[in-house]
Amino acid sequence: MGDYGGGWRYAGAAAADSRRGGSTPTKRTRRDYEDGPPVRGAYGTPRAGERDMGYGARDRGYDDRGPRGGWRDADGLGGGGDLMQYGGGGMGGNDLGMGPGLGMPGGGGVSLGPLTLVGLPDDPPILGHGGRMVGLDGGMGGRPGGLGLNGVAAEADALRGNVDVLPPDASSTLFVDGLPQDCTRREAAHIFRPFIGFKEVRLVHKDAKRVDGGKVVLCFVEFADPRCAATALEALQGYKFDETDHDSYALRLTFARHPGPRGPAPPRSLR
DNA sequence: AGCACA
């Protein structure tokens, strides 16, 4: 756990739940995972609690959403600004484009065939880092006061000094390993897409140390900024890609040693 | 522990 160097810690006690591994999601099949990760809240939001979210996000969120953004890319892997909505704009973390019926809408390329991208009603994606977290706390421990207000709660947190302190080596790129060899770029992207600031994922196939013909899949995930990356890192640390497969262990995430194409500071080219 | 692409 000393992964991120000295004393870095998250505002919430996310790790606790995350590492305990006990409160894992209900039984799921591999197929389910491909629909999206059983994201627990970045701040340890218990899955059970997610049902209690006050705002009827579920109703409005999924139905009329249809083939919403996030699925437009030809390969369905793009991140793009669409997802920024999660924590930024409106209602909350439920804007996931993964509603029911997502499998068909003309979107581009999400034809996962029988995969049915049915959207995990009980899996509202979470995703944001402290600064943009939206009321996902719905009633669980952590912080006092009613959360659920965009920004407001977050700012209160900030004032309390409860802000995320990024480790010195934090970067916008995460290095992930522990992915199964047969993991596709699409699958990997599915895991990270729900997080604010997700941009893209790059898979790399390397030869394992043992020349038993094993290949290990490494993965580099690009985020808009180090904080976004840190949030995903923390939330997915130890994520069991496939619990039923004894060959695949928990994911292991760290900040990339040599940050991505753009690095942490992509200043002028964007202006 | 293991870190590629531009």
Side-chain angles (χ1 to χ4, degrees), chain A residues 17-31:
Chain A
D17 181 87
S18 177
R19 305 242 156 73
R20 205 187 337 264
S23 58
T24 343
T26 38
K27 295 264 172 70
R28 285 166 174 287
T29 62
R30 180 194 184 96
R31 173 176 305 172

Side-chain angles (χ1 to χ4, degrees), chain A residues 29 32 69 104 125 128 165 214 256:
Chain A
T29 62
D32 287 323
M104 29 91 272
V165 176

Side-chain angles (χ1 to χ4, degrees), chain A residues 20 22 74 82 94 97 108 129 139 155 180-181 239 247 253 255 258:
Chain A
R20 205 187 337 264
D82 292 308
N94 260 8
H129 47 54
E155 288 191 65
Q181 288 107 313
Y239 171 69
D247 291 330
L253 301 89
F255 291 103
H258 304 300

Side-chain angles (χ1 to χ4, degrees), chain A residues 58-181:
Chain A
R58 203 169 304 125
D59 324 273
R60 68 174 279 289
Y62 293 125
D63 295 349
D64 38 83
R65 182 135 270 117
R68 183 166 150 3
W71 299 92
R72 303 199 197 110
D73 301 56
D75 59 356
L77 293 177
D82 292 308
L83 300 181
M84 297 295 245
Q85 303 282 355
Y86 288 165
M91 261 322 257
N94 260 8
D95 275 352
L96 194 46
M98 299 180 169
L102 221 235
M104 29 91 272
V110 195
S111 47
L112 294 186
L115 273 196
T116 58
L117 278 170
V118 175
L120 323 176
D122 49 329
D123 260 344
I126 313 291
L127 357 142
H129 47 54
R132 297 234 141 242
M133 221 351 198
V134 213
L136 279 173
D137 260 10
M140 35 108 48
R143 342 179 152 184
L147 282 316
L149 300 183
N150 289 338
V152 179
E155 288 191 65
D157 264 278
L159 292 177
R160 240 183 280 139
N162 212 4
V163 198
D164 305 346
V165 176
L166 299 179
D169 62 323
S171 74
S172 313
T173 309
L174 289 184
F175 168 64
V176 183
D177 96 70
L179 289 169
Q181 288 107 313

Side-chain angles (χ1 to χ4, degrees), chain A residues 247-266:
Chain A
D247 291 330
S248 88
Y249 297 162
L251 291 195
R252 197 186 165 75
L253 301 89
T254 59
F255 291 103
R257 194 173 291 155
H258 304 300
R262 287 293 187 173

